[in-house]
Amino acid sequence: MNFAVEVNGEANPLSIETLYHTLTAASSSDSQQIKSGTQQLQNWEKQPGYYGSLQSILVDVSLPVEVRYLCIIQLKNGIDKYWRKTATNAIRKGERDLIRSRSIEIGTNEPDHRLALQNALMIAKIVRHEYPLEPDAVSSIVKNLRQVSHSDGNPLRLMRALLILLEVVKELSTARIQRTRASLQAAALEVLQVLGKIYADRVRTWMIFFHQRGTDEGGAIDSIEQSLLVLRVLRRLLVAGWDFPNRSTEVREFWELLSNHFRDMLSMTAEASSPLHENIRRLVERHLRQIAKLHVNLAKAHPSGFALLPSSVQLVLAYWNLVNQFGETYGSQSSTALDVGHGHSGDDDDQSIPITEYLSLKGLLLLRACVKMVFNPAQILRYQQAEDKEEKAHSRQVIKENILTEDFAKVAMQTLVTRFFVFTQRDLRDLDEQPEEWERREEGEDDVWEFSIRPCAEKLFFELMLNYKEQLMQPLLSVFGTVANLQNTDVLQKDAVYGAIGLAASVLEDKIDFDSFLRNTLAQEVQIVQPGCGILRRRIAIVLGQWLPIKDGLHRPLVYQIFQHLLAKDTPSNDLVVRITAGRQLKNVIIPFEFKFEEFEPYAATVLHYLVALIEEVELSETKLALLNTLLVLIQSVEEKIAPFADQIISVLSPLWEHAGTEFLLKQSILGILSSLISAIKDESRKYHSLLLPLINSSVDINSETRVYMLEDALDLWVNTLKQIPSSAVPNVVPLVRHLFPMLEVGSDTLRKALEIAETYVYLAPTQMLASTGIILAPMTSLLKDCKREVTGLVLSTVELLMRSALELGGTAALMTFTTRLLEVNFLGIIVSGLRGAHEAHQTTGPHRAKTWLDVLVETDYFSILARLALADPNLLIDAVRAARPNEPFDTTISWLLPEWFRHLDNISHPEKKKLSCLAVTALLQTGQPWIMEHLQDLMAVWTELVVELYDNEERKDDCLVYQDVEAVKGPRETAEEEGQRKLMLADLVHRLDLKFFIREHVQHAVSTSGGNEAFQAQWVVNVDKDVLQEFSKLGIF
């Protein structure tokens, strides 16, 4: 038996022989050998000489391809990790030099294409790491290419050399570092000269062969493959290698050569009686595709340079001619095409996009780039010379005067609408055979327009309408006027024109009486039954979805009635595509600000029933997501009036969740809908807890595999469930709190939401939260040290709530216990240390003054924590401060803490927090200690300011923060959270204690402990500023 033993690199020394045997094992089909071999390779990868040995094995073409392939993969991955000099366990210089010196030759002579490709990718990575620090990196590749191209040896070597250069140019052209791109541009001219000559020679060779019927067929095929590979390199080089390609003589010459070749190759593939074999034709067409990509990419990357290159205007117009020719056969020109579908084999669907369609698509993209160049040029961040600005202005003028004329815009608009907005027979066949997939494709993502004719035509049409609105509105309206009538039964024509009207809605908003069109035409057409009426119904839904968000004053009840009709499954003409489209577009109809539920109410029940049934009916996840999004918008728009339909919505969401499986986007959408639904129906959500709570539990459980996908949406649902829960249902949600504690970690994406939930639980279940303080306070202490102000504020707010709850439930003894726990985790230590730092910073002035990391709001929250202790029992604060600063005498601590507190009182803008701190420092008078009596002037200043602020009310002559009518605070339908907030608020001394009475009581106590009024006056009042004393005396407190 074979017992494979894994040993480290030292126990199994690295050598060519052992490496070969290990590679053989790792590339075998035996799982145990693969495991042990892979482990051994990982052990070796940090040893000197490992990657050089891999390359030595790679060189031997007699070895099995599987072993050599594993070699190059290991080598390429190692380059990524260890090539940089600064990398840990970096490859040593001698080994790097060896690998670099052999890699080009190995790649050039490699017979296997897969290995050659991986070797080229490896060389590209090396060049990316070293260039331009090693300027010979590119020049050595070009030198090798020159040598290979001039030799009479195997043409495969030239293909391999070109492959290496292709991958290097790819890698460098995508670099974001400006230095790398600049270095590529420095080498671009040399590369173009070499490649341009190879390209011209090879194209000349194979064109002469095919035109003159030569005999060297093998040489011609080699030449055409080589010229194609050269084009792939040059397509990238011309875009990335020059900032101003129009200024380079070599680029201009090559551009003209390409233009001639483009014309010649196009004629070769277009000839009906072309002598080209099918494989050769495909290769020629691939040349055309590469050249077309170059045209579009250059126009996007260097619009001014493209416009000023030779024959660019003629090139764009030639493309437009191709578009026109292709448009003559593109769309289905009559309703007879509606009969196609069942009798077609559909075999042509498997073929790639035809060359004429591909070039027409590139022509539309090129025209769109020209429109953008003229009307919406990209902003250039780099400094522009006068020549740059002049070229930019000149290029726009060239394009506008020679291509984008007003006459051209009119012709282009008409061509796009009448030829490319019309469905093709393939579209109609797919609509019939795969309706749901067809609808999903038609409603594709935003970037689909770059790869499909009709979406691209729609983009170009919209931009022409936007920039030539005055010239194009009337022609479009004329066409619209002739088509938009009940007598016209050409469904495809109407669909195309209505599509144009929908796209141009923002331009035509004030030019069409859309309300009249809605009442007199659309409302009638949506009821017509004829072949293809489903296409028109689909378009009507889309047009309404495009116009309602921007058009005021429409008869919206009629729109809702139309959508109710389009969503009805029992209407035969409403096929699946019509109903799905209506379901999608309903979102746009009910989003506008003008939406009124009273107008929608007569149709709400039926529309919702149809929508929910449709969600169950469709199969594609993307379609379900779109319809669920509509349902979400409907719930958010209707708000609490959705309550009567909640059972119906829940009935579809529950089984949908079960069948979703691992489709987490679908589950996220369901959680979002449930969250909005619970928020809308408020306390009625209790009857759905049996569904909601298990969903939340499974989605937030730290051991759940789905947690990473569902957590954020589940937290939103959790928050809304807690906020709407009635008091009687609180026990149902208490078990969930155990999932909350692991989320209270620094760096968690859901930290803020977790803290909000924790704060809510303090209101709902204060006893349970206080019992869990041992788990809660440790992570909160970490958050206090390491998080930003927003998170710190939530932490301090939650801790203060816990302190208030402890005092309310268990009195001073419970608060003392809680304070002990705060000291155990150093929570109070951090607060007092932070205040010490703030005090020291505030003692400095000038431009070099010290800075504190505490901002005003955080410092207010810090003092609020201390104030809660002082207000409950001044001795509790004294003991806590002593414990928090064990290495500092209390007299020293209080000597800086009180001045900082009084200084900060002037900066507290929140009335409740300011009164809290005022009550706290006033309560310290109970101690009778000199350290508080010495601040009598500060106390009087604070008292005077706050009393004036709180009692300056014409309606009330008492403390405005004290609630006189307790019942008025209670809401009509309190949730459990609101009840908890109300109870804590009414128990808060800030809202129970009259400030004047509190001050009077504590001043009297201070007088008494000082030995009477005369002693009090002589010992303490004498030190108070006369003005401060006078203002305080006016209050009549004492």
Side-chain angles (χ1 to χ4, degrees):
M1 297 181 66
N2 178 26
F3 295 93
V5 180
E6 296 178 15
V7 294
N8 59 31
E10 290 74 14
N12 194 3
L14 176 64
S15 67
I16 295 292
E17 183 178 357
T18 55
L19 178 57
Y20 172 73
H21 288 303
T22 304
L23 289 167
T24 303
S27 59
S28 70
S29 57
D30 183 87
S31 59
Q32 184 61 34
Q33 289 193 37
I34 292 174
K35 181 179 179 181
S36 61
T38 303
Q39 181 61 51
Q40 183 61 70
L41 293 176
Q42 290 176 357
N43 292 337
W44 274 333
E45 68 179 14
K46 298 178 183 178
Q47 285 197 21
Y50 171 64
Y51 293 103
S53 300
L54 284 174
Q55 195 179 44
S56 297
I57 295 176
L58 177 66
V59 171
D60 191 347
V61 296
S62 65
L63 297 178
V65 173
E66 294 78 10
V67 173
R68 298 177 63 232
Y69 190 76
L70 183 56
C71 270
I72 188 61
I73 294 298
Q74 290 285 321
L75 185 54
K76 186 185 70 170
N77 293 341
I79 299 300
D80 266 340
K81 292 192 288 185
Y82 304 116
W83 191 266
R84 288 187 180 90
K85 298 176 184 178
T86 56
T88 306
N89 301 306
I91 301 173
R92 296 180 179 178
K93 184 178 185 304
E95 191 174 359
R96 290 203 309 271
D97 294 341
L98 177 65
I99 293 171
R100 188 191 307 110
S101 64
R102 296 191 297 184
S103 58
I104 296 177
E105 183 180 357
I106 292 173
T108 305
N109 296 314
E110 177 56 56
D112 188 279
H113 177 73
R114 292 184 308 157
L115 273 67
L117 176 59
Q118 295 301 323
N119 188 78
L121 291 170
M122 180 200 72
I123 294 173
K125 291 181 183 296
I126 292 175
V127 174
R128 178 71 174 266
H129 288 315
E130 296 189 340
Y131 196 67
L133 299 178
E134 295 287 343
D136 293 339
V138 173
S139 61
S140 59
I141 296 173
V142 176
K143 180 181 178 181
N144 176 66
L145 181 61
R146 273 202 183 98
Q147 293 173 349
V148 173
S149 64
H150 288 111
S151 66
D152 297 327
N154 188 348
L156 185 62
R157 297 183 72 243
L158 177 58
M159 293 292 288
R160 297 293 184 253
L162 288 171
L163 181 61
I164 292 172
L165 185 58
L166 171 63
E167 297 304 330
V168 169
V169 172
K170 273 186 183 179
E171 191 75 25
L172 295 181
S173 62
T174 57
R176 295 182 179 273
I177 301 175
Q178 182 59 32
R179 184 179 63 179
T180 302
R181 295 181 64 86
S183 301
L184 173 63
Q185 292 174 353
L189 182 58
E190 180 186 8
V191 177
L192 175 59
Q193 290 171 343
V194 176
L195 290 180
K197 187 176 186 307
I198 296 174
Y199 171 78
D201 291 343
R202 297 312 186 268
V203 172
R204 187 184 309 111
T205 298
W206 62 261
M207 275 195 170
I208 290 175
F209 172 82
F210 292 121
H211 283 302
Q212 299 181 2
R213 308 294 176 90
T215 57
D216 186 9
E217 183 178 353
I221 293 176
D222 288 339
S223 295
I224 197 171
E225 290 176 345
Q226 291 165 3
S227 62
L228 177 61
L229 192 50
V230 172
L231 265 183
R232 292 177 62 193
V233 182
L234 288 173
R235 175 170 68 83
R236 294 168 174 85
L237 183 69
L238 290 176
V239 174
W242 283 267
D243 286 332
F244 304 98
N246 56 298
R247 300 179 189 176
S248 170
T249 304
E250 289 78 5
V251 173
R252 295 172 67 89
E253 291 174 353
F254 186 75
W255 183 262
E256 288 189 284
L257 178 65
L258 274 184
S259 299
N260 295 332
H261 285 175
F262 184 74
R263 182 186 63 248
D264 296 341
M265 293 178 195
L266 188 60
S267 64
M268 290 175 67
T269 58
E271 294 174 3
S273 58
S274 173
L276 298 180
H277 187 273
E278 185 62 28
N279 291 336
I280 303 301
R281 178 191 292 272
R282 286 202 186 101
L283 286 171
V284 176
E285 288 179 353
R286 289 179 65 187
H287 280 71
L288 290 171
R289 293 172 192 266
Q290 291 296 321
I291 297 174
K293 284 182 181 179
L294 170 62
H295 292 157
V296 174
N297 292 344
L298 196 67
K300 289 181 178 179
H302 308 294
S304 299
F306 170 82
L308 299 179
L309 282 168
S311 306
S312 288
V313 170
Q314 291 79 1
L315 179 67
V316 175
L317 294 176
Y319 269 108
W320 178 245
N321 288 333
L322 285 173
V323 171
N324 265 319
Q325 294 171 14
F326 178 69
E328 293 175 359
T329 57
Y330 175 77
S332 301
Q333 297 299 317
S334 68
S335 296
T336 58
L338 298 171
D339 297 330
V340 305
H342 294 289
H344 199 280
S345 66
D347 292 339
D348 59 334
D349 289 347
D350 297 330
Q351 299 179 9
S352 60
I353 180 172
I355 188 62
T356 51
E357 182 174 351
Y358 182 87
L359 294 179
S360 298
L361 174 60
K362 293 302 179 183
L364 292 175
L365 291 172
L366 200 56
L367 279 170
R368 188 169 183 270
C370 290
V371 173
K372 184 177 180 181
M373 183 193 314
V374 173
F375 296 103
N376 188 26
Q379 297 297 318
I380 300 175
L381 299 180
R382 66 173 182 269
Y383 176 75
Q384 290 182 283
Q385 303 287 346
E387 183 182 5
D388 302 343
K389 296 177 182 179
E390 184 180 344
E391 282 187 354
K392 186 175 181 180
H394 181 51
S395 64
R396 294 174 65 185
Q397 182 181 4
V398 167
I399 296 298
K400 192 168 186 179
E401 292 180 355
N402 295 281
I403 299 176
L404 299 178
T405 62
E406 293 182 4
D407 291 338
F408 175 85
K410 293 177 183 178
V411 172
M413 183 273 290
Q414 183 178 5
T415 301
L416 294 173
V417 173
T418 59
R419 295 183 179 178
F420 293 103
F421 282 19
V422 180
F423 286 123
T424 65
Q425 293 194 19
R426 183 171 59 186
D427 291 324
L428 299 175
R429 184 177 65 253
D430 290 345
L431 170 61
D432 185 68
E433 296 176 352
Q434 299 176 319
E436 193 174 341
E437 176 61 33
W438 180 89
E439 191 277 340
R440 183 199 63 79
R441 190 170 64 246
E442 287 295 311
E443 296 292 333
E445 299 297 331
D446 291 339
D447 60 351
V448 74
W449 62 270
E450 292 190 357
F451 309 102
S452 184
I453 285 281
R454 187 184 303 107
C456 186
E458 291 175 350
K459 282 277 187 182
L460 179 58
F461 164 81
F462 176 74
E463 291 179 356
L464 289 174
M465 288 297 302
L466 202 61
N467 295 295
Y468 291 92
K469 59 179 69 175
E470 298 299 329
Q471 294 79 16
L472 299 185
M473 276 194 298
Q474 193 54 48
L476 180 59
L477 291 175
S478 298
V479 175
F480 173 66
T482 60
V483 170
N485 59 75
L486 299 178
Q487 291 72 38
N488 182 8
T489 59
D490 190 335
V491 171
L492 296 180
Q493 184 188 37
K494 276 190 175 181
D495 178 79
V497 176
Y498 286 6
I501 295 300
L503 289 171
S506 58
V507 177
L508 302 175
E509 177 185 359
D510 300 325
K511 304 298 179 182
I512 292 180
D513 185 357
F514 195 82
D515 192 61
S516 175
F517 176 52
L518 169 65
R519 294 170 183 268
N520 302 326
T521 305
L522 296 183
Q524 307 303 319
E525 288 181 333
V526 82
Q527 304 176 59
I528 295 176
V529 178
Q530 69 175 69
C533 63
I535 293 176
L536 187 57
R537 293 185 179 199
R538 169 186 173 272
R539 180 59 62 186
I540 289 173
I542 294 174
V543 170
L544 290 175
Q546 291 167 325
W547 273 81
L548 255 74
I550 65 171
K551 186 68 174 178
D552 298 332
L554 297 180
H555 186 41
R556 293 182 179 273
L558 178 58
V559 175
Y560 304 142
Q561 186 178 358
I562 289 175
F563 272 86
Q564 176 182 264
H565 174 70
L566 293 176
L567 285 166
K569 185 178 181 180
D570 53 1
T571 302
S573 298
N574 289 343
D575 56 32
L576 186 59
V577 170
V578 171
R579 288 182 286 120
I580 293 175
T581 305
R584 284 183 187 266
Q585 296 300 325
L586 180 62
K587 173 187 64 177
N588 298 325
V589 169
I590 60 180
I591 274 181
F593 180 75
E594 294 81 8
F595 175 80
K596 298 177 181 177
F597 179 74
E598 294 73 20
E599 297 177 338
F600 181 69
E601 188 172 12
Y603 315 99
T606 308
V607 167
L608 191 60
H609 170 72
Y610 288 150
L611 182 61
V612 168
L614 184 60
I615 293 172
E616 292 183 291
E617 180 182 356
V618 297
E619 298 178 357
L620 295 179
S621 298
E622 295 91 336
T623 308
K624 286 184 183 291
L625 281 171
L627 297 176
L628 286 172
N629 190 29
T630 298
L631 180 59
L632 175 63
V633 171
L634 183 60
I635 293 171
Q636 293 172 341
S637 299
V638 172
E639 295 179 337
E640 70 276 359
K641 297 182 179 64
I642 199 67
F645 314 107
D647 288 344
Q648 189 177 1
I649 295 172
I650 293 292
S651 68
V652 69
L653 294 183
S654 180
L656 188 59
W657 177 277
E658 296 298 329
H659 292 106
T662 57
E663 296 184 28
F664 299 115
L665 285 177
L666 202 57
K667 287 188 172 182
Q668 290 171 1
S669 179
I670 293 172
L671 290 176
I673 291 173
L674 288 172
S675 182
S676 295
L677 182 64
I678 296 310
S679 181
I681 64 178
K682 301 187 184 302
D683 56 347
E684 293 184 24
S685 62
R686 177 180 181 178
K687 60 182 179 180
Y688 304 119
H689 282 182
S690 59
L691 168 67
L692 299 177
L693 300 185
L695 292 186
I696 297 172
N697 183 72
S698 63
S699 300
V700 302
D701 189 343
I702 195 170
N703 298 316
S704 172
E705 296 179 357
T706 63
R707 185 177 187 267
V708 65
Y709 307 103
M710 315 301 301
L711 183 58
E712 186 173 350
D713 296 282
L715 287 179
D716 288 335
L717 177 58
W718 193 357
V719 167
N720 284 339
T721 301
L722 295 179
K723 289 188 176 299
Q724 305 303 333
I725 197 170
S727 300
S728 57
V730 168
N732 297 341
V733 299
V734 170
L736 290 175
V737 77
R738 71 182 189 276
H739 299 303
L740 183 63
F741 306 133
M743 301 181 201
L744 302 177
E745 299 174 357
V746 177
S748 170
D749 294 335
T750 56
L751 178 58
R752 182 189 299 274
K753 191 71 69 176
L755 287 170
E756 291 177 7
I757 293 173
E759 186 174 304
T760 303
Y761 265 106
V762 177
Y763 291 122
L764 299 180
T767 302
Q768 290 84 347
M769 292 296 286
L770 285 170
S772 304
T773 50
I775 306 174
I776 298 174
L777 292 180
M780 284 196 170
T781 303
S782 299
L783 296 176
L784 192 63
K785 292 186 293 186
D786 301 329
C787 287
K788 296 181 179 178
R789 186 267 167 277
E790 295 82 1
V791 172
T792 303
L794 286 171
V795 169
L796 292 165
S797 173
T798 304
V799 171
E800 186 181 349
L801 282 176
L802 287 168
M803 295 173 71
R804 291 166 59 188
S805 298
L807 185 64
E808 173 67 13
L809 295 174
T812 305
L815 182 58
M816 186 180 301
T817 302
F818 185 80
T819 304
T820 301
R821 291 177 179 168
L822 289 177
L823 289 166
E824 289 172 353
V825 296
N826 198 35
F827 192 92
L828 285 178
I830 294 173
I831 287 180
V832 177
S833 296
L835 294 174
R836 174 62 176 173
H839 172 73
E840 291 175 350
H842 293 142
Q843 304 311 302
T844 62
T845 58
H848 301 295
R849 65 183 180 276
K851 294 183 179 180
T852 174
W853 57 272
L854 279 185
D855 65 17
V856 174
L857 296 178
V858 173
E859 188 169 357
T860 298
D861 292 337
Y862 274 18
F863 277 121
S864 295
I865 297 292
L866 299 183
R868 290 294 173 186
L869 298 176
L871 193 54
D873 185 348
N875 291 319
L876 187 57
L877 173 66
I878 294 170
D879 293 340
V881 170
R882 278 200 178 104
R885 302 281 291 183
N887 298 323
E888 184 178 69
F890 177 75
D891 289 343
T892 303
T893 303
I894 205 69
S895 67
W896 61 258
L897 182 61
L898 282 178
E900 179 63 19
W901 202 337
F902 282 114
R903 187 206 64 80
H904 185 71
L905 268 163
D906 290 336
N907 297 325
I908 300 178
S909 58
H910 194 285
E912 294 182 5
K913 289 185 179 292
K914 190 164 189 174
K915 181 180 177 182
L916 173 62
S917 278
C918 178
L919 292 172
V921 293
T922 304
L924 293 177
L925 288 174
Q926 294 179 28
T927 65
Q929 295 295 322
W931 44 260
I932 184 62
M933 300 301 295
E934 290 170 352
H935 290 279
L936 186 60
Q937 177 172 310
D938 295 322
L939 283 166
M940 287 185 175
V942 171
W943 293 337
T944 303
E945 179 186 356
L946 194 56
V947 167
V948 169
E949 181 179 339
L950 297 183
Y951 289 78
D952 186 15
N953 192 317
E954 295 180 358
E955 298 180 2
R956 294 176 55 177
K957 300 302 180 183
D958 52 7
D959 189 334
C960 67
L961 290 180
V962 176
Y963 293 112
Q964 303 297 329
D965 186 359
V966 175
E967 291 300 320
V969 182
K970 186 176 181 179
R973 294 177 61 185
E974 276 189 332
T975 64
E977 182 186 27
E978 291 169 343
E979 181 182 349
Q981 289 174 340
R982 175 175 56 83
K983 288 180 177 179
L984 266 186
M985 180 178 62
L986 294 177
D988 191 353
L989 295 178
V990 172
H991 298 293
R992 288 173 53 192
L993 296 176
D994 184 281
L995 182 60
K996 281 186 177 181
F997 179 82
F998 190 80
I999 295 171
R1000 182 182 299 113
E1001 182 182 60
H1002 282 77
V1003 170
Q1004 289 174 349
H1005 182 272
V1007 171
S1008 175
T1009 57
S1010 298
N1013 188 48
E1014 291 184 6
F1016 180 71
Q1017 293 281 345
Q1019 188 175 0
W1020 305 114
V1021 177
V1022 69
N1023 298 320
V1024 178
D1025 182 85
K1026 293 181 180 180
D1027 293 335
V1028 173
L1029 183 61
Q1030 182 180 357
E1031 291 298 319
F1032 175 70
S1033 300
K1034 292 179 182 179
L1035 300 178
I1037 295 177
F1038 183 76

